[in-house]
Amino acid sequence: MADTALMDKLVSLCKRRGFVFQSSEIYGGLGSVWDYGPLGVELKRNVKEHWWRAMVHARDDIEGLDAAILMHPRVWEASGHVSGFTDPLVDCRHCKNRFRADDPRIKGTPGQPDAQCPICGSRGTLTEPRMFNLMFKTFMGPVEEQAAVVYLRPETAQGIYVNYLNVLQSSRQKVPFGIAQIGKAFRNEITPGNFIFRTREFEQMEMQFFVKPGTDGEWFEQWRELRMQWHHSLGLTPSRLQWHEHGPDELAHYARAAYDIQYQFPFGWQEIEGIHNRGDFDLGRHQEFSGKKLEYFDQAGNQRFLPNIVETSAGADRVTLTLLVDGYREEQVDGETRVVLGVHPALAPIKAGVFPLVKKDGMPELATRLYHDLKQRFPCFYDDSGAIGRRYRRMDEAGTPFCLTVDGETTVNQTVTIRHRDSMRQERVGVERVGEVISAEMESDRWQVTSGK
Amino acid sequence: MADTALMDKLVSLCKRRGFVFQSSEIYGGLGSVWDYGPLGVELKRNVKEHWWRAMVHARDDIEGLDAAILMHPRVWEASGHVSGFTDPLVDCRHCKNRFRADDPRIKGTPGQPDAQCPICGSRGTLTEPRMFNLMFKTFMGPVEEQAAVVYLRPETAQGIYVNYLNVLQSSRQKVPFGIAQIGKAFRNEITPGNFIFRTREFEQMEMQFFVKPGTDGEWFEQWRELRMQWHHSLGLTPSRLQWHEHGPDELAHYARAAYDIQYQFPFGWQEIEGIHNRGDFDLGRHQEFSGKKLEYFDQAGNQRFLPNIVETSAGADRVTLTLLVDGYREEQVDGETRVVLGVHPALAPIKAGVFPLVKKDGMPELATRLYHDLKQRFPCFYDDSGAIGRRYRRMDEAGTPFCLTVDGETTVNQTVTIRHRDSMRQERVGVERVGEVISAEMESDRWQVTSGK
């Protein structure tokens, strides 16, 4: 399947089954902004929950945080975003359109007489590149003036840095320790795109780990390993995950080392998470700009130091997209195309479909009872409309790992058919055992693809 | 205790124990913006999870949604927010300060010669009231011009209305059905305040229920009852919850009826949730402004209609504050003041503290093992520092319902002391039974204050 065809099919599936809708679609949409529908919100919730459990609940040395999107404007001076978070843009003086200076459609060098506008075709009308800041700005309070400018955070990390002392003191943690956060961030991207991959509003899952200087190298390696393991635990195809080391030209000026975890999307290998050794840049800058001492006193070593930071920064939307892309399959079954979303049962929005084979002979009553029993434990979907094959197909597209059918035999011996999404294998299971069978499958090792395999 | 004193103490507790910090505190803070610390993020997560379970997972007729904060600007024309979401403000021509026109500090009538500026005291310098919109505006794309203006949503509800058809079609629901959403909203309030009660950035838990015209009255009554029950299920003091019916002067022009659920805060009875019968205003406006038919075809009745909407709109930050205020207690115990945060065990950020009585005789090893066992099931906190009484006090302030102490007897007969937060009662329980005892308490009826009591 051609790569753009796959993305088109995925976008179509996402709308059809209620994973992702275009924002404000009835008004023609808002560029590169997307809304999560009933299945998408559950899938993304499961991704975030999986991350929070691994990063906060399962560990003794990481605390959670939820800092606001709006922050004091000085934060962005300290972080370097006011001066440095910019893209070079050029204008066409003739048609008034604006482009990134590195737009591949521009012929020639912007600012030169031979440069040609990609929209109106005029020559020599493109300006020299000028820098534009990627932060969304707004005004707090009723007056629109410079003093009232605040920005929508372009990353959640700064909310962690400025709260580091408060978290340290209230949680009674000791270095090394981490602070984890999930939240929205905003970037006024000039060229967003690829569905929910690069959007202007997005959600990050970031963890900042504060360590003693000199130990940053080993912690960096440890976090690289742990984070790659986490992506494998989602059941992603191992060969579609790889490391990308930032070369000297890519490395941010404050970073000692940086690796991206990339996934092989239809549009190429792209970053889904970054692991960065940021040294003492962040706390150093905030100490300088705020005038507040941010040093840590190490009682054991009887010394003061500014902790170094190892960051793990993943995109919740990107991981969600990864699951959709990785799980999407088309198969030929009995001369028809079966579309399957093969996501890990623990992440699937709906765990089980429950069907009465026909709407009579007591089957709806038994199926309804089973549905309500199971719904206490996990999200289920009841469906009694259409042929059983069509009901299977709808659940396949929703990524539902199990379908349970109540039929004539159920009324006799209290068993139902459990049908497995990926293999389409069917087996009979006692009604009272269905819940535990599904729970066991959700925790089963066979879904946990580990990096060793 | 004086009411302002209680709020001051609560704000202090919230900082000390890591529930809520002032945003960007090291930079002097950002007005009325707050960050949730390690305990606060768990408390608020539990509130949101409790709501999502009740409103989405436990019901067959409500679908979840997560629409973006940024929406098409026409949405806010249709909703009436561009023209109507305004506050009247006056300026002092002398000192340049700006006030709400109804600021009680203003003497006289703004615009009149006798009106006196509350800041500089000048007379006759206050302008006539002028309207200012409460929506935060920003610019999408690199150009700051009118065409690029987008707003930060001032409510999540509109994201539900514009997605109503997409959700209906993809979920195969039938009217009556609802769409539920949790998400951030922003209002450029002139007078925010009362800690996390009225903030410029806040999180809403909204559900819009789409019903057949003529049935809106009965659904409105049903949702009033269900939502009040939900607040009771949080374990709040029943006498501190009341209904407030919107009189003709308060009722929004589009609303047929509106009731607030109010909580008795130290600063007065205030709204924590609104239940509104919105009629067909919302879908009617979006149908008009988008030009898209938003009617529903009712197969059973063979008729087309524009669904009416019953809205339930709660504030996640407000409910969290309610829990903090309702739970805060000071008690005299053995001549010392004990501060307790009496929140429902199911909502408490930490479920159990685990302590070795002393750091020797094998107790730390046993306590560590118990801690790690329990941590598989729910958040726990290990503490081996200071006298046992001090450790209890720290957990009391964190709202932790149970403390488990490993002592000399544990090494002999495998039992630990379980100490209950509210009664301070202690009992011995077998180590292997601790997990189920706590789980049973979290689900116990005695915490579920129902409206009938």
Side-chain angles (χ1 to χ4, degrees), chain B residues 320-383:
Chain B
T320 304
L321 179 60
T322 305
L323 292 170
L324 292 167
V325 165
D326 206 71
Y328 188 91
R329 287 198 304 275
E330 293 183 6
E331 296 172 359
Q332 297 305 314
V333 177
D334 301 336
E336 284 189 12
T337 301
R338 176 175 97 111
V339 175
V340 191
L341 200 61
V343 292
H344 191 306
L347 298 168
I350 302 169
K351 308 306 182 193
V354 183
F355 315 146
L357 183 63
V358 290
K359 281 196 252 188
K360 58 180 182 181
D361 301 337
M363 294 180 208
E365 292 74 11
L366 285 170
T368 304
R369 197 186 309 158
L370 176 61
Y371 166 73
H372 282 119
D373 281 356
L374 291 177
K375 211 172 145 75
Q376 305 285 325
R377 300 172 69 162
F378 35 66
C380 300
F381 186 77
Y382 185 89
D383 193 356

Side-chain angles (χ1 to χ4, degrees), chain A residues 44 121 248 303 351 363 366 373 388:
Chain A
K44 193 177 169 188
Q303 56 180 326
K351 308 306 182 192
M363 295 180 207
L366 285 171
D373 282 355
I388 202 81

Side-chain angles (χ1 to χ4, degrees), chain A residues 110-124:
Chain A
Q112 299 297 311
D114 66 323
Q116 191 176 7
C117 171
I119 300 295
C120 71
S122 306
R123 283 184 188 276

Side-chain angles (χ1 to χ4, degrees), chain A residues 365-377:
Chain A
E365 292 73 12
L366 285 171
T368 302
R369 196 186 310 159
L370 176 61
Y371 166 74
H372 282 119
D373 282 355
L374 291 177
K375 210 171 146 74
Q376 305 285 325
R377 302 172 68 161

Side-chain angles (χ1 to χ4, degrees), chain B residues 83-267:
Chain B
S83 57
F85 194 58
T86 52
D87 261 358
L89 300 184
V90 301
D91 293 293
C92 172
R93 280 185 290 260
H94 182 249
C95 71
K96 309 296 183 199
N97 276 296
R98 186 164 283 184
F99 318 91
R100 277 178 67 125
D102 59 1
D103 191 317
R105 299 171 303 167
I106 295 175
K107 295 185 186 113
T109 306
Q112 299 297 311
D114 66 325
Q116 190 175 6
C117 172
I119 301 295
C120 70
S122 306
R123 282 183 189 277
T125 57
L126 294 183
T127 63
E128 290 272 348
R130 289 180 293 189
M131 302 308 280
F132 282 84
N133 199 288
L134 296 182
M135 287 195 289
F136 280 98
K137 83 175 179 192
T138 186
F139 306 93
M140 186 174 275
V143 194
E144 286 182 21
E145 60 184 25
Q146 200 52 37
V149 166
V150 294
Y151 301 96
L152 306 190
R153 64 179 175 198
E155 61 177 32
T156 60
Q158 301 299 326
I160 293 178
Y161 305 145
V162 300
N163 278 301
Y164 137 83
L165 265 192
N166 272 333
V167 171
L168 185 68
Q169 285 158 2
S170 60
S171 68
R172 304 168 68 232
Q173 287 281 359
K174 289 182 170 61
V175 168
F177 82 107
I179 304 176
Q181 176 169 232
I182 297 176
K184 288 274 178 93
F186 299 79
R187 294 181 187 181
N188 208 348
E189 299 277 359
I190 312 303
T191 52
N194 287 323
F195 196 29
I196 54 171
F197 179 78
R198 190 183 306 278
T199 53
R200 294 192 171 110
E201 173 180 342
F202 54 99
E203 197 156 10
Q204 294 186 307
M205 305 186 291
E206 294 198 317
M207 193 281 299
Q208 311 290 327
F209 207 74
F210 300 82
V211 307
K212 185 175 171 179
T215 68
D216 48 303
E218 61 201 79
W219 277 109
F220 180 67
E221 290 308 318
Q222 189 171 328
W223 277 113
R224 278 186 58 199
E225 190 182 325
L226 286 171
R227 293 308 305 153
M228 185 59 105
Q229 275 175 20
W230 185 83
H231 288 279
H232 283 288
S233 78
L234 302 178
L236 297 172
T237 307
S239 62
R240 288 191 177 169
L241 288 166
Q242 73 175 19
W243 284 109
H244 167 74
E245 183 180 3
H246 285 216
D249 51 326
E250 292 170 279
L251 209 57
H253 63 94
Y254 51 79
R256 294 183 184 159
Y259 277 82
D260 292 341
I261 295 174
Q262 292 186 331
Y263 179 79
Q264 189 177 25
F265 289 101
F267 43 88

Side-chain angles (χ1 to χ4, degrees), chain A residues 15-19 21-31 33-39 41-42 44-45 48-49 52-53 56-60 63-75 78 89 91 98 132 136-144 150 152-153 159 161-163 165-167 169-172 182 184 186 188-190 200-201 203 285-287 289-292 294 371-372 375 379 381-383 385 394, chain B residues 14-19 21-31 33-39 41-42 44-45 48-49 52-53 56-60 63-75 78 89 98 132 136-144 150 152-153 159 161-163 165-167 169-172 182 184 186 188-190 200-201 203 285-287 289-292 294 371-372 375 379 381-383 385 394:
Chain A
K15 178 174 173 177
R16 187 167 70 248
R17 288 292 161 222
F19 281 95
F21 307 128
Q22 193 181 15
S23 167
S24 311
E25 189 187 291
I26 61 172
Y27 289 99
L30 186 65
V33 180
W34 302 90
D35 296 345
Y36 288 86
L39 296 189
V41 64
E42 298 295 340
K44 193 177 169 188
R45 274 170 58 89
K48 291 190 283 185
E49 194 58 32
W52 194 262
R53 270 204 305 271
V56 183
H57 288 175
R59 295 189 65 107
D60 298 336
E63 301 288 334
L65 183 77
D66 185 11
I69 289 165
L70 302 175
M71 301 182 74
H72 196 288
R74 286 277 284 169
V75 169
L89 300 183
D91 292 293
R98 186 164 281 184
F132 282 84
F136 280 98
K137 83 174 180 194
T138 186
F139 306 93
M140 185 175 275
V143 194
E144 286 183 21
V150 293
L152 306 190
R153 65 179 174 199
Y161 305 145
V162 301
N163 278 301
L165 265 192
N166 272 334
V167 172
Q169 286 158 3
S170 61
S171 69
R172 302 167 69 232
I182 297 176
K184 288 274 178 93
F186 299 80
N188 207 348
E189 300 276 359
I190 312 304
R200 293 192 171 109
E201 173 180 342
E203 197 156 12
R285 291 279 287 193
H286 284 299
Q287 180 165 274
F289 278 69
S290 71
K292 294 275 190 301
L294 298 180
Y371 166 74
H372 282 119
K375 210 171 146 74
F381 186 79
Y382 186 88
D383 192 356
S385 90
R394 285 196 286 257
Chain B
C14 282
K15 177 173 173 178
R16 187 166 70 247
R17 288 292 162 224
F19 281 95
F21 307 127
Q22 194 181 13
S23 168
S24 313
E25 190 187 290
I26 62 172
Y27 289 98
L30 185 66
V33 180
W34 301 89
D35 296 344
Y36 289 85
L39 295 189
V41 64
E42 298 296 340
K44 193 177 169 189
R45 275 169 58 88
K48 291 190 284 185
E49 194 57 33
W52 194 262
R53 268 205 305 271
V56 183
H57 287 175
R59 296 188 64 107
D60 298 337
E63 301 287 333
L65 182 76
D66 184 12
I69 290 167
L70 302 175
M71 300 182 73
H72 196 289
R74 285 278 283 170
V75 169
L89 300 184
R98 186 164 283 184
F132 282 84
F136 280 98
K137 83 175 179 192
T138 186
F139 306 93
M140 186 174 275
V143 194
E144 286 182 21
V150 294
L152 306 190
R153 64 179 175 198
Y161 305 145
V162 300
N163 278 301
L165 265 192
N166 272 333
V167 171
Q169 285 158 2
S170 60
S171 68
R172 304 168 68 232
I182 297 176
K184 288 274 178 93
F186 299 79
N188 208 348
E189 299 277 359
I190 312 303
R200 294 192 171 110
E201 173 180 342
E203 197 156 10
R285 291 281 286 193
H286 284 299
Q287 180 165 277
F289 278 69
S290 70
K292 294 275 190 302
L294 298 180
Y371 166 73
H372 282 119
K375 211 172 145 75
F381 186 77
Y382 185 89
D383 193 356
S385 90
R394 284 196 287 256

